[in-house]
Every structure is written in structure tokens, then in C-alpha cells.
Amino acid sequence: ITANANSSVTISCIVDAAKDLAGNNNVAPTALVVKHDNISPTVSITSTFSPGPVVVSPFEIEITFSEKVVDFDYSDLIISNGIASNLTTSDSIYFTVDINPSAVGLVTVDINASAANDLAGNQSVAATQFSITYEGTSTDVTISYTGPDPTNTTPLPIIIAFTESVNGFNTTDFV
């Protein structure tokens, strides 16, 4: 029997299709149902911290397969500028893992093709590379007043100092 699609295949035979040596006809057998699966599981890597940058360590990533898989473990994670810990799953589809960045900069996570197998033995496809920038610490800001207090002058002379270069800060950010 050749399965033509990724679906369940039901196999049975008709009543009276065969006779035994005494001439008795066969009865209807219980149908055999086999799930045919020839599709490789896909996998994606995401994080609630995307698109970044991220300042916490470790940060969690989510790994989601399109169906249940086996044989997926730490050795299937290819991490640049980090180390994985706490790989967990409750359903063999959705996994979480903590990434501990090694240094400030770009952190990437890859999962190659054949990293896991579905229950039918089909090997997984490769995931699209996950990348995020790790900054290490939050940007601190200090606001200083340089005039006399109290004062009757305006505008007030203030200095706003950030601990690193910033983008997007403007007068609408004051409260």
C-alpha cells in the first residue's frame, strides 16, 4: 500500500474476499489506521526581548517546533557570545532556554537542520538565526540644575547626562 499524502491511511478488506480450505468466507477485519507523515518539522527561535537590545542576563528564548520532536538537547544549540542553561519543555513542541551572554555585543543562536526528529523519524529543518544585542547594563541618566535655587529666571539651566550614547531622546521625554 502506498501512502500518497501526509494523513492517516485506513487499510481494510471486504467481507468474503477469501475462503479457508473448508470453504468458509472471511469476515470483515478491524480496519488498520496508520498515520503517514513525510513532512519535516520546522523550528523558530523567538524572545520577548526582541528586537533588543537586552540588558538582563540571562535572558530567555523560546524555541517552537511545528510538531512534537525527540532528540533535541543542548548540543543542538549553536550559540555565539553566550552559553545556554535551563532548557525545558512540557510538550516536546515548545522549549525555553536561558542564554547567558559572555560579553557585551551581538548574541546569536542557530539550530541546524537535523537537530531533532518528529515521531515519524523526519529530521527537522534549520531555524532562521536568532540574534540580539546584549548591552550589559541599563543606560543611566542624571539631571542636574546649574542655577540658583530659588530662581526667577527662565529657561532653567539644566544638564542631562547619559552613561552612554542614546538615540531618540527629545523634549517630549520630559515630565
Side-chain angles (χ1 to χ4, degrees):
I1 306 236
T2 302
N4 294 324
N6 189 48
S7 63
S8 293
V9 177
T10 302
I11 305 163
S12 189
C13 78
I14 58 174
V15 176
D16 300 334
K19 294 182 185 225
D20 64 15
L21 296 178
N24 300 310
N25 291 326
N26 70 285
V27 295
T30 302
L32 172 67
V33 179
V34 177
K35 183 178 180 189
H36 179 254
D37 176 2
N38 62 352
I39 297 177
S40 295
T42 60
V43 60
S44 64
I45 308 168
T46 59
S47 176
T48 58
F49 293 100
S50 289
V54 64
V55 295
V56 298
S57 179
F59 63 89
E60 184 179 86
I61 62 171
E62 297 85 32
I63 299 165
T64 306
F65 286 90
S66 59
E67 60 184 303
K68 284 188 177 187
V69 295
V70 295
D71 303 325
F72 182 72
D73 60 30
Y74 287 108
S75 67
D76 299 309
L77 299 170
I78 303 163
I79 303 168
S80 172
N81 191 28
I83 298 169
S85 62
N86 197 30
L87 177 66
T88 60
T89 185
S90 61
D91 61 7
S92 298
I93 295 173
Y94 178 79
F95 294 77
T96 59
V97 64
D98 291 335
I99 303 297
N100 299 283
S102 302
V104 171
L106 188 66
V107 176
T108 62
V109 180
D110 289 286
I111 300 173
N112 284 338
S114 306
N117 299 302
D118 68 11
L119 300 180
N122 299 305
Q123 296 179 335
S124 62
V125 299
T128 299
Q129 184 181 69
F130 173 82
S131 65
I132 196 165
T133 300
Y134 174 65
E135 285 198 349
T137 58
S138 297
T139 302
D140 288 330
V141 60
T142 305
I143 301 175
S144 305
Y145 175 66
T146 60
D149 187 14
T151 185
N152 62 358
T153 62
T154 190
L156 298 175
I158 61 169
I159 297 173
I160 301 172
F162 293 92
T163 55
E164 62 184 318
S165 296
V166 296
N167 293 322
F169 184 78
N170 59 50
T171 57
T172 62
D173 296 320
F174 290 101
V175 290

